[in-house]
Amino acid sequence: MKTSYNWIKSYVPGLKAGDQEYFDKMTLSGTKLEGFAPLDKNLEKIVVGHIDKLESHPDADKLVVCQVNVGGPEPIQIVTGAPNAAAGQTVVVVLDGGKVAGDHDGHLPEDGVVIKAGALRGVPSQGMMCSVEELGFDRNFFPEAPENGIYVFPEGSPVKPGDDALEALGLRDTVFEYEITSNRVDCYSVMGIAREAAATFRLPFQAPVVPETGNGEKAADYITVEVKDAELCPRYVARVVKNIKFGPSPAWMQQRLRASGIRPINNLVDITNYVMEEYGQPMHAFDYEQIAGKKILVKRAAKGDKFVTLDGQERQLDENMLMICDGEKPIGIAGIMGGENSKITDNVHTVVFESACFNGVNVRLSAKRLGLRTDASGKFEKGLDPENALAAINRACALVEELGCGEVVSGCVDVYATKPVQREIPFRPDWINGLLGTDLSEETMLSYFPPLELAYDAARRVVKVPTFRQDLECEADLAEEVARFYGYDKIPVTLPRGEATPGKLSYKTRVEKLAGQVMEYAGYSESMNFSFESPKVWDKLRLPGDSPLRQAVTISNPLGEDYSIMRTLPLAGMLGSLATNANRRNKNVKLYELAMIYHPKALPLTELPEERRQLCFGFFGEGDFFNLKATAEAFLKKAGLKDIPEYENTGAYPFFHPGRQAVLRYGSAELGYLGEIHPLVGEAFGLNERAYVAVLDLPAIVPLTNLDQQKFEGIARFPSVSRDLALVMDKATPVGQVEKLLRQRSGKILESLELFDVYEGEQLEAGKKSVAYKLVLRAPDRTLEEKDISTVMNKILNGLEQMGISLRS
């Protein structure tokens, strides 16, 4: 949005800030500016001149010699080739040493063009008469300017020789461009920006005075209005103006419109455009004589209807578009554009002014479907204040009378279905200071509100919000108003506080991060796979038809069958990644993934599925089942689990080798599973290597971890004692049970336990195996004596004997 600085100043009379100061302070107070452009840039020593006398050049057919009165004691002589120059004209003159923005062809050098006295074909010339192009503009900005030639002030212009020509042309002004957020619809108007400027510079805001207008007749006798869809049109106001007299609008209005990027046309059109910019309320005028039945009906269009808009284009309508109709036909598309059948022509005698509030979403969707976006629709789609409609139309009628544009009929037709309730926000200064980190007094905060038209009810301690501030909804919004007018740059730097910002990772995230660190330390590389997969993977993994893992969440709009369900276990992605590496002849590949799986609580879904983070890691190449097991134990130990988990081969996982799989248990908790991939499963995934995969369920592990209580233990001060045990047992006896007994019977003095030999051969009985362990014993507070060691070893041997295990001779 663009505005004239002079227009802003007319509502904030005490505003004296320079362009850069205004730019900086308005931006800091929340009304962001994109830039500004002084209209008098590179224009110096430019005055009003009067051509007293004009003669032909003695040595050039296309040049003339003019004697120009510029307010001095004597006229100056100017030689010009302007084809429209004539004696008696009032023109724009740049004096000797002055500067213009560009040349007659519209070229605009960065530093302008300096004009110096000289001679043209032997005749002295003491200045130059300017065209609008040389001032840096074109005929869009000055439509009254000639297409080719110098600018001539219209007859009757209140200027005299020697006056500041830039002031007379309205160029002693600056155009500011704003970036307005869509929630600040009030700032899509000059009055809204002026209200912000008044609050920023702590100056009084003066709205334009709108006198009552009317000739004593009643508008209701001329026109009736019926709104059939109050949801899409909360308010519709109509007023009537008769005896229309067309003419140019005054210079001050044209200058303000031009600065806003709007080309002046005539007084009637300029008034509606002026009010739209001033109040932010689009208006439309209908030819009263073209309104059938002298009735306006606001209703939805019928599907398939066609309508010709003011631009002469036929538009295809549908049942969601709101139309302005008369007693017989549609005459306008609500909030977007009027119809060709009711447009204002030079022969119009009476017009109906429309000022309404339309549903912003509906206007936007309708404009998009029609491919027709206008200045009016751009404002309506933001959601306008219905209270503004009457004020804007009264302002327009006041301008009609002020400009002598017509005779205003008294009263209006106002269809107002539901008035908005004034919003109230509790005012708690301590809460605002706590949120902002400031120490402002209540009086200071309240001083920011009057320029914004925020009323304070001291008895109830609430702030009453005007309807045009649709962005103020809660206490945080009120705190923002205080912050931006106190000054964001003045708010001290403070640290965040509260339970929501402890400044560290959550405990669960720390465990997950630790899992990744252990995996990478063990030589694994992180992989990432989609949470979406194909139901075909269930068959590849040899899952039974009644397996609960086949109960998956189905994607309603999948990219294809291969991404149609949410995974219930992470194996398919891991096996696919291992197979890809194997097929590309990579060796000794080790991968891990912190995968999310999804288990529906019921099908069809009635609530969100259960999401579980699982650590899945696998490899092929060097290593076997025991390397996989060791990595899992390394993570659990690093996470603070004191005891080694137990392993049990339940044979429950069909995707693993029947004899090379296990479930990890820690007490009563099941932590996960691991094993060698079944050859048929590997073949189904294109993996022709022996692969091993483990899956650890982090939600089950996290409650058992103890990251915060791990303590450093110094170097042992007392010597250790080692004992080797070579044990003979049945082949079916799990070594895990043996290790459990050794740890339990050794007690606190067991420092480490190492399995260093497993033997099966001719020297043993059939069905037997030999397992050898090294035990390291040490007391933290004393040197162990022989009786201490003997006691422990006797307890171990007794326990082994009860298990049917003997020492190897």
Side-chain angles (χ1 to χ4, degrees), residues 447-477:
S447 68
Y448 300 136
F449 296 158
L452 301 171
E453 300 184 25
L454 300 176
Y456 177 58
D457 186 335
R460 298 169 53 219
R461 295 189 68 79
V462 296
V463 174
K464 297 182 178 181
V465 181
T467 55
F468 62 79
R469 286 302 301 273
Q470 300 179 29
D471 60 306
L472 299 183
E473 298 180 345
C474 60
E475 288 183 272
D477 296 327

Side-chain angles (χ1 to χ4, degrees), residues 211-407:
E212 187 176 346
T213 57
N215 59 2
E217 298 180 273
K218 293 182 179 180
D221 294 335
Y222 280 78
I223 195 76
T224 60
V225 176
E226 180 183 357
V227 177
K228 287 197 170 184
D229 196 326
E231 182 182 353
L232 298 185
C233 179
R235 190 175 194 182
Y236 192 100
V237 183
R239 293 199 68 174
V240 179
V241 177
K242 63 180 187 179
N243 298 326
I244 296 296
K245 299 176 183 177
F246 286 110
S249 53
W252 60 267
M253 180 176 284
Q254 292 191 36
Q255 290 165 5
R256 291 178 177 181
L257 289 175
R258 285 196 295 255
S260 299
I262 299 174
R263 180 176 180 175
I265 297 176
N266 59 49
N267 48 10
L268 185 65
V269 175
D270 291 352
I271 285 172
T272 59
N273 287 333
Y274 185 87
V275 173
M276 180 174 70
E277 293 300 306
E278 184 180 42
Y279 279 72
Q281 173 66 49
M283 295 181 59
H284 189 69
F286 297 105
D287 185 346
Y288 177 74
E289 301 300 330
Q290 302 298 323
I291 300 177
K294 310 311 176 192
K295 176 181 181 179
I296 289 178
L297 184 63
V298 184
K299 64 177 184 177
R300 293 176 184 254
K303 185 175 182 180
D305 283 354
K306 295 182 179 180
F307 180 69
V308 179
T309 48
L310 277 172
D311 57 3
Q313 299 293 316
E314 184 177 78
R315 310 287 176 177
Q316 187 80 25
L317 308 178
D318 62 40
E319 68 279 7
N320 295 314
M321 297 178 183
L322 191 67
M323 302 297 294
I324 311 299
C325 307
D326 60 17
E328 299 176 353
K329 61 187 181 302
I331 57 176
I333 305 175
I336 301 177
M337 184 178 283
E340 191 177 52
N341 54 9
S342 62
K343 67 180 180 181
I344 303 299
T345 64
D346 293 341
N347 299 321
V348 70
H349 180 266
T350 304
V351 299
V352 175
F353 274 142
E354 166 197 279
S355 180
C357 182
F358 301 114
N359 181 279
V361 174
N362 180 263
V363 171
R364 181 177 181 275
L365 293 176
S366 297
K368 187 175 182 179
R369 287 194 295 271
L370 291 169
L372 178 63
R373 197 169 188 272
T374 61
D375 290 340
S377 70
K379 293 184 183 295
F380 275 120
E381 66 187 26
K382 306 294 188 302
L384 300 185
D385 174 20
E387 289 291 308
N388 198 37
L390 182 60
I393 201 169
N394 287 339
R395 171 64 164 163
C397 290
L399 289 172
V400 167
E401 289 195 349
E402 180 182 339
L403 274 56
C405 183
E407 181 183 348

Side-chain angles (χ1 to χ4, degrees), residues 48 93 102 127 153 156 220 228 281 285 300 306 372 406 512 636 702:
V48 175
V93 177
F153 284 97
K228 287 197 170 184
Q281 173 66 49
R300 293 176 184 254
K306 295 182 179 180
L372 178 63
E512 294 174 1
L636 296 176
V702 169

Side-chain angles (χ1 to χ4, degrees), residues 10 60 160 176 249 275 293 311 390 488 491 496 586 592 613 728 769 780 791:
S10 68
K160 63 182 185 298
F176 286 91
S249 53
V275 173
D311 57 3
L390 182 60
Y488 292 120
I491 296 177
N586 293 329
Y592 81 93
R613 180 78 68 181
V728 178
K769 65 181 176 182
T791 300

Side-chain angles (χ1 to χ4, degrees), residues 483-804:
R484 66 194 187 96
F485 291 113
Y486 170 66
Y488 292 120
D489 54 326
K490 298 179 183 177
I491 296 177
V493 176
T494 57
L495 293 175
R497 62 188 180 188
E499 296 180 359
T501 55
K504 63 181 182 180
L505 298 175
S506 68
Y507 189 82
K508 177 178 73 68
T509 304
R510 289 170 59 197
V511 174
E512 294 174 1
K513 189 174 182 180
L514 174 66
Q517 291 173 344
V518 172
M519 289 298 108
E520 290 168 10
Y521 180 78
Y524 288 78
S525 299
E526 185 175 10
S527 67
M528 298 182 70
N529 296 289
F530 288 117
S531 294
F532 303 155
E533 60 187 19
S534 170
K536 295 177 181 178
V537 301
W538 295 331
D539 294 330
K540 289 183 177 182
L541 293 171
R542 306 176 72 243
L543 293 179
D546 58 351
S547 172
L549 295 175
R550 287 181 177 262
Q551 304 300 310
V553 178
T554 302
I555 308 301
S556 58
N557 57 340
L559 297 175
E561 186 183 6
D562 289 344
Y563 303 97
S564 60
I565 61 168
M566 305 292 288
R567 63 183 174 183
T568 57
L569 72 171
L571 284 175
M574 177 59 66
L575 293 176
S577 297
L578 291 174
T580 299
N581 281 274
N583 293 331
R584 293 179 180 175
R585 300 189 179 185
N586 293 329
K587 297 180 179 180
N588 302 320
V589 173
K590 304 170 78 172
L591 300 175
Y592 81 93
E593 179 184 7
L594 288 166
M596 188 72 78
I597 63 169
Y598 307 85
H599 290 164
K601 299 175 183 177
L603 289 177
L605 285 177
T606 56
E607 56 182 315
L608 293 176
E610 179 187 11
E611 300 182 20
R612 302 185 72 87
R613 180 78 68 181
Q614 294 189 331
L615 171 62
C616 178
F617 56 99
F619 68 90
F620 66 81
E622 294 181 0
D624 56 17
F625 177 89
F626 298 102
N627 296 98
L628 192 71
K629 173 175 170 287
T631 304
E633 290 179 1
F635 163 60
L636 296 176
K637 182 178 180 181
K638 189 69 175 177
L641 277 71
K642 295 182 179 180
D643 299 326
I644 295 177
E646 298 179 1
Y647 299 86
E648 180 183 1
N649 186 352
T650 62
Y653 300 99
F655 38 78
F656 285 145
H657 190 290
R660 298 168 189 163
Q661 61 172 281
V663 176
L664 280 78
R665 288 195 173 91
Y666 195 84
S668 60
E670 186 173 312
L671 306 186
Y673 50 90
L674 72 167
E676 180 182 335
I677 295 299
H678 195 291
L680 295 178
V681 174
E683 183 180 348
F685 280 91
L687 180 59
N688 297 318
E689 300 273 355
R690 293 182 67 172
Y692 302 86
V693 176
V695 176
L696 300 182
D697 190 46
L698 294 182
I701 295 173
V702 169
L704 305 173
T705 60
N706 192 359
L707 300 183
D708 298 326
Q709 298 300 321
Q710 297 184 34
K711 296 181 180 180
F712 171 76
E713 295 182 359
I715 298 174
R717 298 168 55 192
F718 300 96
S720 64
V721 177
S722 62
R723 292 289 187 270
D724 291 344
L725 291 176
L727 308 176
V728 178
M729 65 191 76
D730 294 336
K731 285 186 178 181
T733 302
V735 292
Q737 294 181 9
V738 177
E739 292 182 2
K740 183 177 181 181
L741 182 140
L742 293 176
R743 294 180 187 278
Q744 289 176 345
R745 297 292 173 113
S746 299
K748 294 182 179 180
I749 65 171
L750 178 65
E751 183 174 84
S752 65
L753 175 65
E754 179 185 355
L755 171 66
F756 66 86
D757 182 58
V758 177
Y759 173 74
E760 296 178 16
E762 296 178 355
Q763 299 182 22
L764 296 177
E765 296 180 25
K768 297 290 185 177
K769 65 181 176 182
S770 173
V771 179
Y773 286 97
K774 180 180 180 179
L775 286 76
V776 178
L777 307 175
R778 190 197 308 263
D781 55 351
R782 60 190 172 86
T783 299
L784 292 174
E785 298 179 1
E786 182 60 33
K787 64 178 181 179
D788 298 320
I789 302 169
S790 298
T791 300
V792 169
M793 295 307 296
N794 288 333
K795 291 169 63 177
I796 290 175
L797 293 174
N798 290 334
L800 293 172
E801 185 178 354
Q802 294 173 9
M803 293 179 63

